[in-house]
Amino acid sequence: MQLSVVTLFPEMFSALTDWGISGRAIKQGIVSLDFYNPRDFTKDKHRTVDDKPFGGGPGMLMKTEPLIEAIRAARRGLAGDDQEVTVVYLSPQGRPVKHRDVIDLAQRKKMALVCGRYQGIDNRVIESEIDEELSLGDFVLSGGELAAMALLDAMIRFQPGALGDEDSAQQDSFANGLLHCPEYTRPQEFDGKEVPDVLLSGDHSAIKTWRMKQSLGATWLKRPDLIDKEQLDQEQQDLLERFINEYQTR
Ligand code: 9WO
């Protein structure tokens, strides 16, 4: 996958390029990550990248011409063969990103992420240059970079070969639409609390059933909005019913 980022702060992305799974995927050439800094597309002596909003008020917007030039350069840099380029803008006004969206976005071959700063960007830039405006949640950051990095990390994990164990992205939380079950590691007793017996039993079938039940239960308790009874098979419905009964008679 070829990725480009339009940002005034490309150095921030060293968190992705220098560390962990994303760093390894870039080093291995599984993904490429290029940067386009609007400041490099300014023409004035002071290399101005902000501008005043029409209508007045405090705060600034990103200056339009350098931003447009940087976005178009990112598009050109990605273009070539006939694979489509998707240009994404991260903002609190965007469509909320779900697990499904990450999978869909991760399938695209070429993507540019536009990071806003200040109070954002001219609406006509959104209309003319942005294919998808996306949000990671109902909060405001100081800029789009941290949101772009989070989305990039999530997409890179789905690139073939990015994870050591090919299956682990599939086994992640949300892969089956449910929250992950509770997990335990050593020591077997910690703070007077024991690891659930079944996990020490060696009975793989019982462990699998326990994990599914806990997964259903955790989702029911913490994210009831994710539970769609129609989507559960008969065994899952029975396991959830048992979890709820045990929870309510505890
Ligand atoms: C800044 C500001 C300052 C004073 C008064 C109002 C203000 N609004 C903003 C603002 O919304 N700035 C945004 C910063 C502009 C677009 C990039 N920024 C951003 C992206 N903040 N939060 C996100 C974001 C992106 C994706 N998911 C969650 C949040």
Side-chain angles (χ1 to χ4, degrees):
M1 185 179 201
Q2 285 176 261
L3 296 160
S4 289
V5 182
V6 174
T7 173
L8 292 171
F9 301 114
E11 293 88 351
M12 286 180 71
F13 290 79
S14 58
L16 283 180
T17 58
D18 295 3
W19 303 95
I21 289 166
S22 56
R24 191 180 57 199
I26 293 164
K27 206 169 298 151
Q28 291 180 338
I30 293 168
V31 298
S32 64
L33 191 54
D34 294 311
F35 297 96
Y36 296 84
N37 190 337
R39 200 173 288 282
D40 296 333
F41 295 85
T42 54
K43 296 194 168 94
D44 64 316
K45 178 167 107 230
H46 298 290
R47 307 184 78 200
T48 310
V49 290
D50 62 352
D51 210 344
K52 297 189 298 254
F54 280 118
M60 297 293 270
L61 297 174
M62 291 184 81
K63 188 173 170 59
T64 295
E65 292 88 343
L67 175 63
I68 289 265
E69 290 299 315
I71 296 173
R72 290 187 176 156
R75 256 192 204 284
R76 278 198 305 277
L78 289 168
D81 37 42
D82 49 22
Q83 288 158 327
E84 293 218 3
V85 179
T86 306
V87 180
V88 171
Y89 177 55
L90 282 309
S91 95
Q93 286 75 44
R95 179 171 65 81
V97 173
K98 300 287 184 298
H99 175 67
R100 183 72 242 170
D101 298 303
V102 172
I103 293 177
D104 291 346
L105 293 166
Q107 321 273 337
R108 322 238 173 143
K109 294 287 174 242
K110 299 171 172 211
M111 187 178 304
L113 303 187
V114 177
C115 302
R117 277 274 152 177
Y118 318 117
Q119 291 195 34
I121 69 182
D122 187 298
N123 199 58
R124 293 164 297 180
V125 178
I126 299 180
E127 288 169 358
S128 65
E129 300 294 331
I130 303 299
D131 300 310
E132 303 219 38
E133 186 175 7
L134 300 176
S135 166
L136 302 191
D138 295 335
F139 47 82
V140 178
L141 301 166
S142 310
E145 282 81 4
L146 288 171
M149 286 160 72
L151 183 60
L152 286 165
D153 183 87
M155 292 191 300
I156 290 171
R157 294 170 50 76
F158 277 100
Q159 302 307 308
L163 298 177
D165 174 359
E166 279 283 340
D167 282 344
S168 23
Q170 272 311 307
Q171 288 175 21
D172 272 354
S173 205
F174 296 116
N176 58 5
L178 299 172
L179 300 188
H180 206 287
C181 65
E183 302 265 27
Y184 301 87
T185 183
R186 292 184 290 184
Q188 195 173 319
E189 189 232 291
F190 165 70
D191 242 3
K193 293 199 251 291
E194 287 277 349
V195 170
D197 281 336
V198 61
L199 296 178
L200 311 172
S201 68
D203 182 342
H204 296 297
S205 159
I207 291 171
K208 191 157 170 267
T209 304
W210 181 87
R211 283 184 166 152
M212 178 50 73
K213 183 177 164 195
Q214 296 303 314
S215 193
L216 289 157
T219 311
W220 174 73
L221 282 170
K222 300 177 191 180
R223 292 293 306 277
D225 56 301
L226 295 179
I227 298 258
D228 179 1
K229 286 246 166 68
E230 316 288 290
Q231 292 282 51
L232 301 180
D233 63 32
Q234 190 57 54
E235 189 198 2
Q236 289 175 320
Q237 291 183 33
D238 296 346
L239 287 170
L240 178 56
E241 197 175 316
R242 276 171 47 204
F243 183 98
I244 294 173
N245 278 332
E246 288 163 18
Y247 179 80
Q248 288 172 339
T249 58
R250 211 156 55 99

